[in-house]
Amino acid sequence: EDADRRALEEVKQSIQRRQDEMKNADFVIEEVANGDRMMADGQYAAAVKYYDKAVAADPEGKVKDAFLMFANRGMCLLEMKRPRQALADAEMCVKVNPGWMLGHVLKGRAHQALEQWTEVLSESVIGYDLAPEN
């Protein structure tokens, strides 16, 4: 009976963790969507605030398509003349989805803004290798 109770408790905890993960994913998706709307309107500072909330809720980028929140926040930061922060986001974007060519383009643009020409070339080559037709 004790073993049954422990097993039941483990199942309940597992279900609760899964529900919490789903709520967190929904929150991240909603904040990213809000950020995307602000970015589309050219309101980069407002967009960054939404992306910041999403990243705080999913700092490792585990939610589906999380690489986009890093990429979009990085693009906004570049527009706001904050290339070091943009580079950090571009690096996270590439870490989460190394095969996405545009992540490497963003990383190259951040390096360009920092006048790091060797890195610009390196990211350009990686991007080309991933999508030579582009």
Side-chain angles (χ1 to χ4, degrees), residues 109-120:
R109 286 188 58 208
H111 281 299
Q112 181 180 10
L114 294 166
E115 298 182 359
Q116 298 169 335
W117 308 116
T118 303
E119 291 84 354
V120 171

Side-chain angles (χ1 to χ4, degrees), residues 5 30-31 33 47 68 78 85 88-89 104 123 130:
R5 238 182 281 135
E30 184 176 327
E31 293 305 299
L68 292 172
L78 271 179
Q85 290 172 298
D89 275 351
H104 294 279
E123 291 304 320
L130 289 170

Side-chain angles (χ1 to χ4, degrees), residues 44-101:
Y44 303 116
V48 166
K49 288 180 183 179
Y50 285 112
Y51 295 133
D52 285 347
K53 291 179 191 177
V55 170
D58 184 26
E60 310 243 340
K62 294 185 180 194
V63 171
K64 184 180 182 315
D65 294 334
F67 67 97
L68 292 172
M69 74 180 167
F70 294 108
N72 291 352
R73 185 172 71 171
M75 289 173 36
C76 289
L77 291 165
L78 271 179
E79 291 293 331
M80 296 168 63
K81 309 291 188 233
R82 293 164 55 187
R84 287 194 194 326
Q85 290 172 298
L87 179 58
D89 275 351
E91 288 172 342
M92 192 63 185
C93 172
V94 167
K95 178 181 175 186
V96 173
N97 189 351
W100 191 51
M101 182 264 303

Side-chain angles (χ1 to χ4, degrees), residues 12-28 57-58 63:
K12 286 180 180 178
Q13 288 175 356
S14 177
I15 290 170
Q16 184 61 49
R17 275 193 304 276
R18 182 66 183 133
Q19 288 174 338
D20 291 346
E21 288 170 6
M22 291 171 61
K23 285 179 190 173
N24 190 56
D26 288 345
F27 175 79
V28 169
D58 184 26
V63 171

